Amino acid sequence: MNDDTAERLAGIHAAAFPAPWDAAALADLLTQAGVFAVEQPDGFILLRTVADEAEILTLAVRPGARRRGLGARLVREGVAGAAARGAARLFLEVADDNAAALALYARAGFSEAGRRPGYYARPDGGRQDALILALNLPVKLP
């Protein structure tokens, strides 16, 4: 991992989210044990594995590249990477009003494992619940 990689990922994250992670935060994450990224020109997925569990930290796809299968490919590659690193279960958190992400993760086989009330801060000052989704590994994705 180098500074160019963190800058590139930060640019994708900034295009994808209203409250993006900056290059310094991404660079710091990428130096931590168990953290890995799968990167494509218009998107990336960042995961962390610890013992036999893994977590999707973020999945970002540039708006102009959405609805073309990139998110699904990144999830498949992230799942494979987590399984290869010994994870038996993969978790993530997603806003309960993010219909596109919920559909993506449902197609990949994730199911609801819990809820975090008011987890996400919204630009208007409101709060949004997060759903905790889980996937048992290894799994063959469609």
Side-chain angles (χ1 to χ4, degrees), residues 47-135:
L47 300 96
R48 175 184 2 241
T49 58
V50 177
D52 67 345
E53 291 187 350
E55 176 185 15
I56 295 175
L57 301 172
T58 192
L59 169 65
V61 174
R62 291 184 196 278
R66 292 178 181 163
R67 307 209 48 84
R68 297 181 187 161
L70 177 57
R73 284 193 307 276
L74 290 167
V75 169
R76 277 194 303 273
E77 290 182 35
V79 166
R85 288 164 174 83
R89 195 147 189 213
L90 177 60
F91 294 91
L92 65 94
E93 291 150 343
V94 61
D96 69 352
D97 65 347
N98 188 339
L102 289 169
L104 169 70
Y105 293 125
R107 284 191 305 273
F110 284 84
S111 59
E112 187 174 337
R115 178 179 290 266
R116 295 187 194 277
Y119 185 75
Y120 292 108
R122 295 296 191 200
D124 65 3
R127 306 292 300 181
Q128 189 68 41
D129 288 0
L131 295 179
I132 301 167
L133 303 182
L135 177 69

